[in-house]
């Protein structure tokens, strides 16, 4: 450790309340201090990596949520069939596998041992937008999608089965309304309420899951930044990244609550 790093650490030798007030006042302004390891502004250090993590999260959620809704609706309509049992069993097996194992299997299949189609690591050059290098994003996104779809799809399936067994759906079927129309107008809108809440939980899980996935694929995002900061005992960077993760979880849950109110007529009337 250099003398400058030691001096920065000594500055932390103040009352806890004073340290917190000083840090939070700077964080509100977007100033998270100076990295003890990189000797640069924490904001400048994590700004581009925040964009990389958001791109990874949005791509994974944009694929996982529609696939889960479609798969859950399809299997709920065929509950008890061979297809439903096969998909349910496969989902339970995949859900029991840790995400880093899924990532390693994908690397073995598509990058190293079996095929050589995709890069084994996702090295995005500094300052370059991730979508300009789509090949580097395929395996990290696929890992997150495979790790989350089995959980979310089962929630959608259970919710859809409850709605399909309700009286108003049965009455619509007895009136001769086509099944596709019943699903689209009656079943799916009512099954979306628990799905929205579950999607918020899944996105919060994805936000935390990026730490492992980014480390595995060497993806330059907030997750890899956090692991590096922990290794270097870089407290200002750790504080900034953890605050961003916590804020993201709060915002996702708040957004889910707002969407739930919008799609539920009774809640909209109560709020007005």
């Amino acid at each position: 450790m250099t003398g400058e790093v030691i001096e920065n650490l000594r500055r932390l030798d103040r009352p806890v309340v004073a340290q917190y007030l000083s840090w939070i006042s700077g964080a509100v302004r977007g100033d998270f201090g100076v990295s003890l390891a990189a000797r640069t502004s924490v904001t400048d250090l994590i700004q581009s990596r925040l964009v990389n993590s958001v791109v990874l999260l949005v791509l994974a959620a944009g694929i996982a949520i529609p696939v889960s809704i479609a798969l859950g609706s399809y299997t709920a309509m065929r509950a008890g069939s061979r297809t439903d049992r096969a998909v349910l069993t496969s989902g339970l097996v995949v859900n029991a596998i840790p995400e880093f194992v899924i990532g390693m299997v994908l690397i073995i299949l598509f990058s190293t041992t079996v095929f050589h189609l995709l890069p084994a690591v996702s090295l995005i050059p500094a300052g370059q937008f991730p979508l300009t290098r789509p090949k580097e994003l395929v395996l990290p996104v696929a890992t997150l999608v495979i790790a989350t779809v089995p959980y979310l799809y089962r929630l959608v399936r259970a919710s859809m089965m409850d709605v399909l067994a309700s009286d108003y759906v049965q009455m619509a079927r007895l009136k001769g309304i086509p099944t596709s129309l019943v699903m689209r107008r009656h079943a799916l809108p009512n099954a979306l309420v628990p799905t929205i809440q579950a999607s918020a939980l899944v996105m919060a899980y994805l936000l935390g899951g990026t730490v492992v996935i980014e480390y595995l694929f060497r993806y330059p995002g907030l997750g890899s930044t956090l692991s590096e900061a922990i290794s270097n005992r870089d407290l200002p960077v750790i504080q900034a990244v953890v605050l961003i993760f916590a804020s993201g979880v709060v915002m996702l849950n708040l957004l889910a609550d707002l969407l739930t109110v919008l799609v539920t007529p009774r809640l909209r009337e109560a709020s007005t």
Side-chain angles (χ1 to χ4, degrees), residues 162-261:
D162 289 340
V163 173
L164 291 176
S166 60
D167 293 337
Y168 62 89
V169 172
Q170 297 296 330
M171 181 60 68
R173 286 180 168 179
L174 291 175
K175 288 182 178 181
I177 300 176
T179 303
S180 59
L181 188 60
V182 172
M183 288 289 296
R184 187 170 60 252
R185 288 190 179 181
H186 300 282
L188 187 58
N190 290 281
L192 281 179
V193 175
T195 302
I196 291 173
Q197 297 294 330
S199 298
L201 294 176
V202 167
M203 292 190 69
Y205 170 79
L206 288 175
L207 186 62
T210 56
V211 176
V212 177
I213 299 305
E214 290 177 5
Y215 180 81
L216 177 64
F217 290 99
R218 297 296 185 268
Y219 184 80
L222 287 182
S224 58
T225 303
L226 179 60
S227 62
E228 292 171 3
I230 293 174
S231 299
N232 297 327
R233 307 295 192 271
D234 198 343
L235 184 60
V237 177
I238 296 174
Q239 289 175 324
V241 176
V242 170
L243 178 64
I244 292 173
F245 280 167
S247 301
V249 173
V250 172
M251 294 302 296
L252 288 173
N253 283 282
L254 178 61
L255 180 61
D257 291 340
L258 293 176
L259 290 176
T260 300
V261 173

Side-chain angles (χ1 to χ4, degrees), residues 106-121 134-139:
L106 292 180
I107 291 174
I108 292 172
L109 289 178
F110 298 105
S111 299
T112 57
T113 305
V114 182
F115 302 105
H116 297 83
L117 303 176
L118 298 167
V121 293
K135 280 190 175 182
E136 280 77 3
L137 294 173
V138 173
L139 290 185

